[in-house]
Amino acid sequence: GVSTLNYRGQYLPVTDIVYVASGVGIVPILDQVKAVLPSGSSSVKGVSLVWINGDGKDFDVAINELEEEYFKYNTKLAVSCIGENVRKKALEENEEIEEAVPDFNPGTMAVISGPRAFSEKAKAYLKNRGYPEDCLCVLL
């Protein structure tokens, strides 16, 4: 998978990352989390990870690994696992998603990973929440 992200935003250094994932899109996100969270490995001070799945069983693919990372970095990593069928409902209609996704601040990068339809919806959602286009990265 992708081992580095190309940030095109004007706000450097990147101090916060917001990951929004669906389905197996969590797999490359976990690799990123493991790369940016260890002390001294990057300029990142905080990570918010929002993992959205329509079926609770879909969390089984990586929940143990995600929990392990959370216990290692619980002061830097915020995790939200949200059950929502986003094919049928807009992201902004879910209160948990609204609360889990932080407002944009300079130095924040957002990374989206999941099926194409989800990624397009998540990108539009983040732009509506004030995230500049050049601060968004969509993993394909």
Side-chain angles (χ1 to χ4, degrees):
V2 177
S3 59
T4 59
L5 298 173
N6 185 9
Y7 176 75
R8 299 178 324 273
Q10 61 182 321
Y11 306 106
L12 292 172
V14 173
T15 55
D16 295 280
I17 301 180
V18 177
Y19 291 107
V20 182
S22 184
V24 295
I26 193 66
V27 175
I29 298 291
L30 272 171
D31 289 341
Q32 290 289 321
V33 165
K34 290 175 184 178
V36 301
L37 283 179
S39 188
S41 65
S42 73
S43 59
V44 176
K45 307 227 180 311
V47 169
S48 297
L49 193 157
V50 183
W51 189 15
I52 306 164
N53 286 311
D55 186 337
K57 291 182 296 204
D58 292 341
F59 291 109
D60 293 346
V61 72
I63 197 72
N64 292 339
E65 201 173 345
L66 183 57
E67 189 175 56
E68 210 174 281
E69 294 307 305
Y70 175 75
F71 286 129
K72 268 194 259 181
Y73 304 108
N74 63 0
T75 59
K76 294 169 78 172
L77 175 61
V79 175
S80 300
C81 296
I82 300 169
E84 180 66 77
N85 186 341
V86 292
R87 281 178 285 197
K88 295 181 179 173
K89 195 172 180 182
L91 297 178
E92 53 274 358
E93 290 178 38
N94 183 297
E95 198 174 301
E96 286 180 87
I97 295 171
E98 285 283 287
E99 288 177 20
V101 175
D103 292 333
F104 177 78
N105 286 306
T108 302
M109 174 182 187
V111 180
I112 302 162
S113 183
R116 184 179 304 276
F118 169 81
S119 295
E120 289 170 4
K121 198 175 244 194
K123 184 176 181 181
Y125 169 76
L126 289 169
K127 284 169 63 176
N128 286 340
R129 287 282 305 266
Y131 284 75
E133 175 107 28
D134 61 1
C135 296
L136 301 175
C137 177
V138 178
L139 303 180
L140 302 172

